Every structure is written in C-alpha cells, then in structure tokens.
C-alpha cells in the first residue's frame, strides 16, 4: 500500500503512483546501487556536514542522468540488504529538511525534484526523486562552490572538462530556444513583416512561448493527424475558445476572432512541440481592471498550464521553459492590489516588457501549484510596474485573488 505525503501548495513535488511502483520493483529485485540509485540506511544528519552531503548527492544526480535516493534501506558494499524504513513520526520533519536543503544548498533550482514517503516491505521509505537537470551544471556553494557528478556508486567532483562541456551544451540548447523566441517576438510586434499576425502600433499584446526541453530540443517531430485528433480545440490566452486547427508547414494553428481591425491572437503548436500563444487583448483594460490586474494573472497562469499539458500530450516531455513578453503602450493605467482599478494615478512608462525565462516541471503538480510555480514570473511582472512582488500572494505566500 502506498502512503502519500502531500506538501502544501508551493511544495517541490507531489508523489505519483508510478514512482511508488518503481520503488517497489527495486526493493523486490534487491537492486544494487548504480549511477541512478543510492541507498541510505538513515536520514542525513541535521548538521552542516549532513546538509553538505545531501547537496552534493543532489548535484551529482542532477549533473548526470538523475535518479533516486532511498532513505531507510540498509546496504553493504552497494548491495541491497533490507528495508528498515524511517520512523513514521519523523517523516514530515525529514521531508521539510530535505526540501530546505534543496532550496538553499544547490544552485540553480532543480525543476521536478520530489520528496515522498512510500510504504514498502511494511515500512516507510523516504524517496528523493532527482531528474536530470535542465540547467546544468548544478553547484554546491557550501562545498566551496563546487560541482559534482554521480559515478556508478559514488559522487565525485566534476572535472574542468566536464564542467565546460555541461555549460556549453546547456548554453547551446538555451541559445537555440532564445533565438526562436526572439524571431517570433520580432514578427509579433511588427518588426518582421507578417501582415496577418502583427500588432498595430497602438494595440497591446502578449506573447507566451512554452518549450519542451530535450537533449536535442528541435529534433522532435510529431504526427500532424494524431495531434489534431488529440487537440481538436485550444483555448486562447484570454480563455476564449479558438477555431478548429489549421495545418501549417511548421505545425498547426488555432486562430481567434477579432474586433474591428484589431489583431485577436492565435495559438500555434510547432512540430518540435513548442507552443506559442499570442494575444491582442489581455493586457489592455478588461472588465475595468488595468495592468497588471487579475485578468492578466489568471490568463497567464491558465495559459502556461494548458500549454504544458498540451505539449506533454504531444511530446511526453517533463521539463519546459516559459518565455513571456508584453507589448504595452505609454500611458496605460497600472493597478495596485488594494486599488485594482488604477484610478488613473499610475501609468506605464515603457513599451516592451521582456521577462526572464522560467523553467517549469510537469511533476510539480501543475493543477494545484501553478500560481506558486510561476511566482518568480508573476513577481517580475509586478516589479516592472514598481511593486515589490505580485499582490495576489498574502504574507504567508498564499495565492489569494482579490474580489
């Protein structure tokens, strides 16, 4: 039987049934330690040495192929002996400690990292599920800003050449993503001529691009008829349903009906799994609420979630990058959390807003946690208008929409 320990919203991950089955299979097979599996008979010690040891293990797995750390398994010379478990009364505190070290001990954040308690062989085993990192290399500051990598049964310091290779590989990947996003942005704002898709000079707009991350991102190609069958409709950025999909050379497109001569928006799903959502209305005044009001926040959260879900159906990817940009206009009202209608006292003073790329993991329980997952991006949007952070999170960091 599986015991689920669900973290509060904002936690790193939620246990999934396939992980429970995987752990049970490893225990039944008495699998030896490997490059993707580590056993610990006891919880890491709650000391600086214990924090450093766990951070090194996280870095080592994330810098190679990912893997599992099973706490509560006795081993000898790397070979499974027995499942002894972790006392059930210690589990919550142990998971909180593991999450704390993961947040502060390893840089950058490892998307998709999960901590769970799973019942197997009559006892509770703590499981750290570490994905292959999407932003390698991962460093451990407490170890003198060093990088680690997992070998067959141990963790060692990465060599200079390994670090250089990891940096170059990730830089190449994200450079290619960035070039694609920049090209689409130029078309969106009208610098690159495309009459059917460009915004007029006075029109607001928002562009969201969600990219699945693989070792070779742009080598994936989907089957067009199959995807049209899977996704017969797609909801636009401002939560309006679009047309039926229209095949294109580079994928499929869903278009939306505009008002007068204004550009309404579209959603494109490219053959390599990237989803582009363009909108010509959501950043303007809607329902009396100006930027960066509730309509924009709700639309962005819902759109990222929809894009990740749709791309995963097509590609099966677990990791995604999120690029978000806004074309606004000088003089647009800015809304405060406690004054959501703006009152005309505060105005936008720039035309383009380009926010930092964010990485999202499908494993981070996007149905429940998406506002918390996207908080760094939401904060950036509010900071662009002079606020410290997104006003829809209270002092306890709980997401609360204003009425």
């Amino acid at each position: 039987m599986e015991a689920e320990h669900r973290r509060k919203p904002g936690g790193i991950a939620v246990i999934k049934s396939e992980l429970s089955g995987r752990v049970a299979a490893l225990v039944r097979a008495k699998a030896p330690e490997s490059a993707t599996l580590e056993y610990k008979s006891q919880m890491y010690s709650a000391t600086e040495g214990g924090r450093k040891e766990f951070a090194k293990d996280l870095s080592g797995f994330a810098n190679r192929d990912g893997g599992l750390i099973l706490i509560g398994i006795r081993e000898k010379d790397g070979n499974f002996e027995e499942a002894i478990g972790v006392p059930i009364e210690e589990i919550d505190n142990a998971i909180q400690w593991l999450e704390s070290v993961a947040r502060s001990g390893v840089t950058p954040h490892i998307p998709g990292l999960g901590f769970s308690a799973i019942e197997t062989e009559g006892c509770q085993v703590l499981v750290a599920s570490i994905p292959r990192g999407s932003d390698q290399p991962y460093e451990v500051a407490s170890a003198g800003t060093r990088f680690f990598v997992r070998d067959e049964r141990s963790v060692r310091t990465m060599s200079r050449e390994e670090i250089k290779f990891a940096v170059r590989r990730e830089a190449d990947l994200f450079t290619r993503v960035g070039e694609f996003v920049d090209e689409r942005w130029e078309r969106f704002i009208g610098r690159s001529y495309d009459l059917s898709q460009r915004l007029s000079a006075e029109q607001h707009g928002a562009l969201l691009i969600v990219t699945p991350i693989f070792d070779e991102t742009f080598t994936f190609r989907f089957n067009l008829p199959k995807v049209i069958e899977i996704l017969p409709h797609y909801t636009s950025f401002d939560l309006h349903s679009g047309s039926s999909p229209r095949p294109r050379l580079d994928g499929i497109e869903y278009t939306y009906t505009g008002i007068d001569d204004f550009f309404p928006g579209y959603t494109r799903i490219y053959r390599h799994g990237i989803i582009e959502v363009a909108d010509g209305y959501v950043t303007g005044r809607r329902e009396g609420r100006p930027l960066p009001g509730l309509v924009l926040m709700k639309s962005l959260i819902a759109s990222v979630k929809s894009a990740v879900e749709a791309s995963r159906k097509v590609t099966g990817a677990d990791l995604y990058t999120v690029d978000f940009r806004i074309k606004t206009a000088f003089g647009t009202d800015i809304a405060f959390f406690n004054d959501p209608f703006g009152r005309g006292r505060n105005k936008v003073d720039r035309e383009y807003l380009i926010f930092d790329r964010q990485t999202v993991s499908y494993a981070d329980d996007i149905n429940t946690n998406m506002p918390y997952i996207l908080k760094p991006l939401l904060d950036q949007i509010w900071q662009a208008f002079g606020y410290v952070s997104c006003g829809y999170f209270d002092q306890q960091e709980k997401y609360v929409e204003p009425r």
Side-chain angles (χ1 to χ4, degrees):
M1 177 181 177
E2 175 184 341
E4 292 192 357
H5 286 261
R6 294 186 177 270
R7 307 303 306 151
K8 296 178 180 179
I12 294 179
V14 178
I15 186 172
K16 296 191 179 296
S17 59
E18 57 264 31
L19 177 61
S20 178
R22 183 181 172 192
V23 170
L26 290 170
V27 171
R28 283 197 304 269
K30 302 185 186 305
E33 289 183 333
S34 66
T36 57
L37 180 62
E38 170 81 6
Y39 293 133
K40 297 286 185 184
S41 60
Q42 297 179 337
M43 178 63 184
Y44 293 84
S45 65
T47 63
E48 186 58 34
R51 293 179 66 88
K52 186 184 299 184
E53 180 188 2
F54 180 52
K56 288 168 62 176
D57 285 342
L58 290 179
S59 171
F61 279 105
N63 282 330
R64 190 171 178 183
D65 298 318
L68 300 176
I69 301 174
L70 305 187
I71 303 171
I73 302 292
R74 181 179 290 133
E75 56 80 26
K76 184 176 181 180
D77 298 327
N79 294 308
F80 180 99
E81 284 200 330
E82 65 174 326
I84 58 177
V86 174
I88 193 168
E89 65 273 12
E90 297 178 9
I91 288 174
D92 283 343
N93 286 338
I95 290 179
Q96 290 179 13
W97 185 89
L98 295 171
E99 290 180 347
S100 173
V101 176
R103 284 192 296 267
S104 60
V106 180
T107 304
H109 168 65
I110 306 172
L113 181 62
F115 303 105
S116 313
I118 292 178
E119 184 176 328
T120 183
E121 300 290 303
C123 60
Q124 297 287 330
V125 173
L126 284 181
V127 181
S129 176
I130 307 124
R132 179 188 182 277
S134 63
D135 194 9
Q136 295 180 7
Y138 293 85
E139 66 178 332
V140 179
S142 61
T145 313
R146 293 162 64 191
F147 304 86
F148 298 87
V149 66
R150 177 81 179 177
D151 277 338
E152 279 306 305
R153 293 184 177 180
S154 62
V155 171
R156 62 171 174 80
T157 303
M158 293 180 77
S159 68
R160 177 181 174 84
E161 289 305 312
E162 286 174 323
I163 295 172
K164 288 172 62 178
F165 176 78
V167 170
R168 185 168 59 249
R169 181 183 59 205
E170 298 303 321
D172 289 346
L173 170 60
F174 287 110
T175 295
R176 293 165 70 191
V177 173
E179 289 173 348
F180 177 84
V181 174
D182 287 342
E183 188 272 336
R184 298 310 307 163
W185 174 250
E186 293 296 301
R187 287 181 177 273
F188 181 65
I189 63 177
R191 287 180 181 160
S192 178
Y193 185 75
D194 190 339
L195 186 60
S196 65
Q197 295 165 19
R198 63 190 301 183
L199 294 172
S200 61
E202 70 275 12
Q203 190 180 358
H204 301 259
L207 185 69
L208 171 69
I209 296 181
V210 176
T211 306
I213 296 299
F214 303 97
D215 286 345
E216 298 292 341
T217 299
F218 297 104
T219 61
F220 179 87
R221 291 293 184 271
F222 63 65
N223 178 282
L224 189 62
K226 183 178 180 181
V227 171
I228 291 177
E229 181 180 343
I230 294 172
L231 302 169
H233 302 285
Y234 198 97
T235 303
S236 73
F237 188 88
D238 58 354
L239 311 183
H240 288 85
S241 180
S243 64
S244 298
R246 180 171 66 94
R248 294 173 48 90
L249 180 63
D250 53 4
I252 57 178
E253 178 177 281
Y254 305 79
T255 56
Y256 308 107
T257 302
I259 301 173
D260 299 325
D261 295 328
F262 279 81
F263 165 76
Y266 61 85
T267 292
R268 283 185 179 175
I269 303 179
Y270 293 89
R271 288 188 182 272
H272 36 50
I274 291 179
I275 295 185
E276 174 186 3
V277 186
D279 183 90
Y281 291 102
V282 75
T283 56
R285 182 181 286 274
R286 293 289 296 275
E287 299 176 7
R289 294 180 184 271
L291 274 173
L294 183 58
V295 172
L296 175 59
M297 299 294 102
K298 291 178 68 174
S299 297
L300 178 58
I301 291 167
S303 294
V304 174
K305 177 177 175 293
S306 295
V308 169
E309 289 176 332
S311 184
R312 194 169 196 272
K313 288 179 181 177
V314 173
T315 67
D318 289 320
L319 292 172
Y320 300 84
T321 60
V322 175
D323 287 89
F324 184 58
R325 301 180 178 189
I326 292 174
K327 177 185 180 294
T328 181
F330 291 98
T332 301
D333 289 337
I334 300 174
F336 284 92
F337 173 66
N338 59 355
D339 184 12
F341 296 95
R343 312 296 181 186
R345 291 195 296 264
N346 302 280
K347 305 287 184 179
V348 172
D349 61 358
R350 68 208 77 185
E351 187 175 3
Y352 302 126
L353 299 173
I354 298 176
F355 303 102
D356 293 341
R357 177 177 297 133
Q358 183 171 343
T359 303
V360 169
S361 169
Y362 182 81
D364 282 342
D365 193 16
I366 62 173
N367 289 312
T368 303
N369 288 344
M370 188 55 82
Y372 305 92
I373 294 169
L374 290 182
K375 189 174 187 301
L377 175 56
L378 303 182
D379 284 345
Q380 279 190 67
I381 294 171
W382 283 71
Q383 288 160 3
F385 294 104
Y387 307 111
V388 174
S389 61
C390 176
Y392 301 135
F393 291 85
D394 63 18
Q395 293 182 344
Q396 286 72 45
E397 296 293 293
K398 181 180 180 181
Y399 183 70
V400 180
E401 295 178 352
R403 296 182 179 181

